[in-house]
Amino acid sequence: MKAPNIWKWVPTVMVCSVLGLAGLASAKLPAPTDEAKAKAAEAKTKADEAAKKDSEILAKSQDRVADRYKKQNKTAAANTKVADKKK
């Protein structure tokens, strides 16, 4: 069984497509305007503030969890010591 003629051209078409896309991808974008730079700086500042706020909230919650763990561990350790003394 012979392959149809079109299948002989598929690799060539694929190679040309890849080369064409590579050429498009290597095109340079225009330099950002001052307005775009200002918007980007403002967005970065907002993102930094949000990240700082999130990290503070995370630290507070981690401290609460650590304090609760320590409190429960002290109670468990005290109960274990009392149980050991009774034996």
Side-chain angles (χ1 to χ4, degrees), residues 32-50:
T33 62
D34 291 336
E35 184 179 315
K37 289 178 185 178
K39 282 185 180 180
E42 183 180 335
K44 184 178 184 299
T45 303
K46 284 183 180 180
D48 289 344
E49 289 173 0

Side-chain angles (χ1 to χ4, degrees), residues 13-47:
V13 170
M14 289 180 68
V15 168
C16 290
S17 298
V18 168
L19 291 176
L21 290 175
L24 288 175
S26 67
K28 291 187 178 182
L29 295 174
T33 62
D34 291 336
E35 184 179 315
K37 289 178 185 178
K39 282 185 180 180
E42 183 180 335
K44 184 178 184 299
T45 303
K46 284 183 180 180

